């Protein structure tokens, strides 16, 4: 980490709170920031009102996420002058995407910092707390920061959160305070901000796909894999911290390894992760159906410790809509993919998100999407009404649908999805599931089964004899009932005791 240019007396310990919005990738980025700040002498606190400076890691994905980010920045700003809080700083995707525009429109934020600021985040925050000015980030198309040819990207000097690329080198492992670890070899730091049994682990960043509705590649950059040795080192550290499940996250996990010269690298990485002592579950998120080759399906379905969980980015199923989205596939191909997965693992979990009301979507297209959802038997379904995203190809399409029609279709599909996932959950009554316990009270324990991803896919409530069950335990149970997408189950040991 570069030496500070501030005088020694300006490097007093300051309290900082990190507020994280958005996806699991942002969670990893916040823990990198936490690691850098802790190594630089900052004291991390949980609540903004207890901090001198609040750092909000924003989301810039869709309008609702942008609004949530701005509301959070405003709420944190309201604390200034009421107690300890002196400053509020925006980082993350919204800050990276809009930079100076966000700073101009939101003067309540004391600074708007992009990804390139993460490497010297401590000095930036000290400058702000000292009354100095830090120039707002100037956005650019981050796809242009790495070579066009994937195999040349590993030598690039671009700063990528969670990868350790860029100008600086973090302290050596032996120099780190307790609780810190290298997130990418000896160069990037990470400090856990929670103590749950599950943690995200960054597999790659960026995306090379050119979906016409998506702006993410422009501010997250071109696709860049982390090296297997870095991923394995971080996974071992997480296991030492008590993590039992790692969730591999990226913008497109199915592309992993293509810039390292081996598109099948994920198939070889998974068994190496499985061999790590202390890890019991390995979950892979963000799979592109068009890139989900049979060998990867087999690896995901059969590798020990890899839970049979398929987070598939379908987005739609009508072929005409998918082509306008610059995507591939159709209803029947997607159903065949799901059938091939269930042939290997009948109890496999599958989830996806869908965009309704895309420009040019006809009544027939919408009916085709309903047909797919009805036949797909997905465990979790997210529904989004289409909205224009700045800088995307679809924003310039002429055949836009009326907002009232978009809202009507989105509401109807969400209602259908709610019924369908409830039906799918009810199908699991009588199944034996393994549950990772995440919460324990006097009356019940709650966690997730293998087919349920963190936070978004429902949960399992354990009832019956719960003595001795602790957070982080893996408990075999039989599903007794379902409540919407959630399940109610009884530990197998309790059932055996009753039979005895």
């Amino acid at each position: 980490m570069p030496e500070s240019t501030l005088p020694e007396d300006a490097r007093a310990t300051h309290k900082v709170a990190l507020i994280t919005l958005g996806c699991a990738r942002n969670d990893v980025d916040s823990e990198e920031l936490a690691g850098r700040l802790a190594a630089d002498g900052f004291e991390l606190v949980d609540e903004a009102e207890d901090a001198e400076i609040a750092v909000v890691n924003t989301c810039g994905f869709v309008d609702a996420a942008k609004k949530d980010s701005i509301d959070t920045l405003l709420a944190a700003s309201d604390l200034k002058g009421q107690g300890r809080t002196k400053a509020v700083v925006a980082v993350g995707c919204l800050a990276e995407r809009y930079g100076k525009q966000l700073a101009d429109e939101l003067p309540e934020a004391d600074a708007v910092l992009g990804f390139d600021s993460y490497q010297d985040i401590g000095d930036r925050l000290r400058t702000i707390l000292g009354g100095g000015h830090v120039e707002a980030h100037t956005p650019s198309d981050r796809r242009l920061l790495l070579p066009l040819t994937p195999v040349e990207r590993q030598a690039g000097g671009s700063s990528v959160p969670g990868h350790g690329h860029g100008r600086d080198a973090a302290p050596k492992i032996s120099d780190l305070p307790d609780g810190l670890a290298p997130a990418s070899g000896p160069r990037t730091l990470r400090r856990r901000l929670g103590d749950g049994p599950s943690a995200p682990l960054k597999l790659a960043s960026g995306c090379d796909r050119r979906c016409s509705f998506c702006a993410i590649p422009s501010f997250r950059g071109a696709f860049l894999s982390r090296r297997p040795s870095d991923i394995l080192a971080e996974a071992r550290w997480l296991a030492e911290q008590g993590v039992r499940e790692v969730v591999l996250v990226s913008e497109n996990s199915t592309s992993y390894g293509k810039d390292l010269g081996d598109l099948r690298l994920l198939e070889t990485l998974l068994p190496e992760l499985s061999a790590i002592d202390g890890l019991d579950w390995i979950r892979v998120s963000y799979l592109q159906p068009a890139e989900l080759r049979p060998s990867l399906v087999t690896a995901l379905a059969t590798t020990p410790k890899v839970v049979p969980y398929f987070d598939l980015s379908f987005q739609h199923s009508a072929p005409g809509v998918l082509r306008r989205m610059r995507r591939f596939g159709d209803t029947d191909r997607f159903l065949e993919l799901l059938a091939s997965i269930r042939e290997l693992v009948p109890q496999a979990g599958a989830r996806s998100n869908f965009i309704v009301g895309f420009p040019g979507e006809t009544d027939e297209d919408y009916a085709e999407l309903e047909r797919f959802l009805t036949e797909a038997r997905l465990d979790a379904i997210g529904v989004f009404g289409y909205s224009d995203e700045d800088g995307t190809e679809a924003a310039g399409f002429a055949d836009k649908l009326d907002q009232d029609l978009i809202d009507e279709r989105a509401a109807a599909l969400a209602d259908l999805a709610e019924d369908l996932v409830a039906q799918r959950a009810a199908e699991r009554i009588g199944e034996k599931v393994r549950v990772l316990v995440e919460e324990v009270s006097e009356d019940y324990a709650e966690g997730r089964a293998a087919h349920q991803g963190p936070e978004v896919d429902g949960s399992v409530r354990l009832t019956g004899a719960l003595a001795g069950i602790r957070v982080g335990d893996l408990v075999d149970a039989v599903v007794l009932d379902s409540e919407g997408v959630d399940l109610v189950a009884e530990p197998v040991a309790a059932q055996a005791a009753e039979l005895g």
Side-chain angles (χ1 to χ4, degrees), residues 19-98:
I19 304 168
T20 307
L21 305 172
C23 65
R25 299 183 293 273
N26 259 14
D27 291 335
V28 177
D29 294 349
S30 284
E31 293 194 349
E32 176 194 330
L33 290 171
R36 289 181 179 275
L37 291 169
D40 200 20
F42 281 77
E43 179 183 349
L44 298 166
V45 297
D46 293 332
E47 304 296 335
E49 54 263 32
D50 298 327
E52 294 169 79
I53 188 163
V55 178
V56 180
N57 191 353
T58 60
C59 180
F61 179 41
V62 293
D63 286 345
K66 297 174 195 174
K67 182 180 184 304
D68 189 27
S69 294
I70 291 170
D71 289 346
T72 302
L73 286 163
L74 291 173
S77 181
D78 287 342
L79 297 172
K80 291 188 292 186
Q82 297 181 19
R84 180 184 296 272
T85 309
K86 298 176 182 177
V88 175
V89 173
V91 298
C93 290
L94 191 70
E96 176 66 36
R97 184 175 182 184
Y98 292 103

Side-chain angles (χ1 to χ4, degrees), residues 346-371:
Q347 294 182 350
R351 78 168 325 275
S352 192
N353 295 321
F354 298 89
I355 297 173
V356 183
F358 191 79
E361 182 188 67
T362 65
D363 291 342
E364 291 76 16
D365 293 331
Y366 176 75
E368 185 70 0
L369 179 55
E370 286 187 316
R371 178 172 82 87

Side-chain angles (χ1 to χ4, degrees), residues 372-403:
F372 173 67
L373 290 187
T374 302
E375 298 182 27
R377 297 171 57 238
L378 299 175
D379 293 276
I381 299 170
V383 176
F384 297 89
Y386 171 81
S387 62
D388 288 338
E389 283 296 316
D390 298 333
T392 62
E393 181 185 4
F397 287 176
D399 48 353
K400 303 283 178 59
L401 276 62
D402 290 339
Q403 189 61 50

Side-chain angles (χ1 to χ4, degrees), residues 60-300:
F61 179 41
V62 293
D63 286 345
K66 297 174 195 174
K67 182 180 184 304
D68 189 27
S69 294
I70 291 170
D71 289 346
T72 302
L73 286 163
L74 291 173
S77 181
D78 287 342
L79 297 172
K80 291 188 292 186
Q82 297 181 19
R84 180 184 296 272
T85 309
K86 298 176 182 177
V88 175
V89 173
V91 298
C93 290
L94 191 70
E96 176 66 36
R97 184 175 182 184
Y98 292 103
K100 287 185 175 181
Q101 179 185 344
L102 177 63
D104 291 342
E105 296 180 3
L106 195 71
E108 292 85 353
D110 296 277
V112 175
L113 306 180
F115 296 148
D116 291 333
S117 296
Y118 287 15
Q119 297 172 94
D120 54 1
I121 187 70
D123 285 348
R124 303 292 178 106
L125 298 192
R126 285 192 174 92
T127 297
I128 295 163
L129 286 170
H133 175 70
V134 175
E135 191 69 23
H137 165 65
T138 300
S140 63
D141 189 337
R142 292 190 71 86
R143 290 171 293 191
L144 305 179
L145 300 181
L146 290 170
L148 181 64
T149 304
V151 294
E152 298 176 351
R153 290 177 188 165
Q154 292 292 325
S158 173
S159 177
V160 182
H163 286 238
H165 291 265
R167 302 182 301 275
D168 74 322
K172 295 178 181 178
I173 300 173
S174 58
D175 297 334
L176 302 183
D178 291 341
L180 295 179
S184 188
R187 295 176 297 173
T188 302
L189 305 176
R190 176 171 181 176
R191 182 166 190 156
R192 293 203 72 200
L193 294 174
D195 57 2
S198 178
L201 175 57
K202 188 165 285 191
L203 186 68
S205 291
C207 186
D208 288 342
R209 301 186 70 86
R210 292 295 179 264
C211 301
S212 62
F213 57 85
C214 184
I216 289 175
S218 66
F219 58 86
R220 275 290 183 177
F223 185 85
L224 186 69
S225 302
R226 290 183 66 196
R227 292 189 177 277
S229 57
D230 296 343
I231 295 169
L232 291 167
E234 188 171 346
R236 292 188 191 100
W237 176 78
L238 288 169
E240 291 169 0
Q241 301 299 305
V243 170
R244 310 226 27 204
E245 174 191 39
V246 292
V247 183
L248 301 181
V249 298
S250 69
E251 275 75 25
N252 178 9
S253 297
T254 37
S255 280
Y256 179 70
K258 73 175 187 179
D259 51 321
L260 295 171
D262 184 359
L263 190 54
R264 295 176 182 262
L265 195 56
L266 186 54
E267 285 100 302
T268 58
L269 176 64
L270 291 175
E272 293 184 81
L273 286 167
S274 178
I276 295 175
D277 290 338
L279 287 186
D280 293 285
W281 278 5
I282 300 156
R283 188 180 302 272
V284 184
S285 295
Y286 307 107
L287 303 169
Q288 288 289 342
E291 299 179 34
L292 194 54
R293 53 203 173 272
S295 62
L296 182 53
V297 171
T298 300
L300 292 168

